[in-house]
Amino acid sequence: MTPSLDPVSPPVALTIAGSDSGGGAGIQADLKTMTTHGVFGTSVVTATTAQNTRGVHDVVPLSAEHVTAQYDAVVEDFAPEAAKTGMLATREIVEAVTRKVRGFDGPVVVDPVMVAATGDRLLSAGAEAAYEDLVASATLVTPNADEAAILVDGAVETPADAAAAGRTLVERGADAALVKGGHLDGDGEVVVDTLVWGTEGEDPRVRRIENPRIDAAATHGSGCTLSSAIASRLARGEPLEEAVVAAVDGMGEAIRRGYDVGEGPGAVNPTATDAR
């Protein structure tokens, strides 16, 4: 007897980011995360990298024109319910992506990949400046403390600083900001992530999301995994606050059960929590 066809129709999400040849971050981590969350992931590749668990050896940005062509090909055939951005590499790509997401019919999560885990800046000053318009087009922007400091041009060292930075980003046009607390000063046993959001004409709301700190070096891909988890939940129709809190809470397990692969620290495990 021939089995009957039984297709599924999951929500579609889109990631616009760089490729990680080591598989732990970037497009590869995004698509793993989206699958884990029951979402069909589509992608626009902004750059290719030669990297592994020990570090990045080479980066080759694609042309803004080709990035635009990929985006157009995806949206004319699929109907993404949410999108996220990661590594955008150059000012031209940041500007091209900003033009496209302004017309996107759905939530957009912007992960402003500006600073490496080593503290090295990943973008030119011009590319960093171009993020201002992209942030203003975001449903949610998810900087770590170092990236938030660049975006608001001020120190972000404590949870209070994070809340102030989040308010500034919302004032500049983002619907919401999640300032990640992994690099903040404070209680070493607790990570405090700060969500700031609000509606026009009202004071922004602030929520501190506290979770135990996991003593692990394998945090490669954590930002990509978190922003993709949020975008996936938004694609499934979850409210913003609910989506952010659930995704942040799930990161502990992704880090605790990280992948022990390669000769370096390894990477977070996007499949550690079944979030469907």
Side-chain angles (χ1 to χ4, degrees):
M1 181 178 177
T2 302
S4 59
L5 186 65
D6 187 21
V8 296
S9 299
V12 176
L14 169 63
T15 169
I16 307 170
S19 169
D20 174 2
S21 58
I27 290 285
Q28 288 82 350
D30 293 341
L31 294 178
K32 292 172 189 174
T33 304
M34 290 174 178
T35 299
T36 298
H37 285 75
V39 172
F40 183 83
T42 58
S43 62
V44 170
V45 180
T46 60
T48 61
T49 67
Q51 67 176 294
N52 52 33
T53 60
R54 293 177 174 178
V56 179
H57 303 286
D58 194 24
V59 178
V60 179
L62 301 181
S63 70
E65 291 77 16
H66 186 56
V67 170
T68 297
Q70 291 179 74
Y71 178 92
D72 290 342
V74 170
V75 299
E76 74 181 18
D77 188 41
F78 300 88
E81 299 289 344
K84 65 142 290 187
T85 70
M87 176 186 176
L88 299 182
T90 69
R91 181 186 187 113
E92 291 76 16
I93 293 175
V94 175
E95 292 173 344
V97 170
T98 301
R99 288 193 292 271
K100 288 300 181 180
V101 301
R102 279 175 176 161
F104 183 77
D105 187 19
V108 177
V109 178
V110 172
D111 181 12
V113 181
M114 296 177 166
V115 183
T118 59
D120 295 328
R121 301 279 276 263
L122 298 176
L123 296 175
S124 67
E128 289 176 354
Y131 259 93
E132 182 174 343
D133 289 338
L134 181 57
V135 167
S137 302
T139 304
L140 175 72
V141 57
T142 63
N144 60 32
D146 294 330
E147 291 157 347
I150 293 170
L151 290 170
V152 304
D153 193 23
V156 180
E157 298 174 348
T158 68
D161 293 340
R167 289 189 184 95
T168 297
L169 294 171
V170 169
E171 289 168 359
R172 292 180 181 177
D175 292 343
L178 175 68
V179 181
K180 296 173 289 189
H183 297 166
L184 294 177
D185 295 338
D187 188 343
E189 296 183 357
V190 176
V191 175
V192 179
D193 298 298
T194 304
L195 175 64
V196 181
W197 77 106
T199 56
E200 187 174 353
E202 297 180 0
D203 291 335
R205 297 176 61 189
V206 178
R207 176 166 179 175
R208 288 164 53 108
I209 309 168
E210 299 186 5
N211 283 288
R213 186 181 298 275
I214 307 299
D215 184 15
T219 58
H220 180 58
S222 57
C224 305
T225 298
L226 177 61
S227 55
S228 293
I230 296 170
S232 297
R233 290 178 174 278
L234 294 174
R236 286 165 28 186
E238 291 185 16
L240 177 67
E241 183 182 7
E242 178 182 324
V244 170
V245 173
V248 169
D249 289 347
M251 282 305 301
E253 194 71 358
I255 294 171
R256 188 182 73 82
R257 296 177 58 197
Y259 288 123
D260 183 14
V261 293
E263 299 299 322
V268 301
N269 180 359
T271 69
T273 303
D274 187 352
R276 286 173 291 183

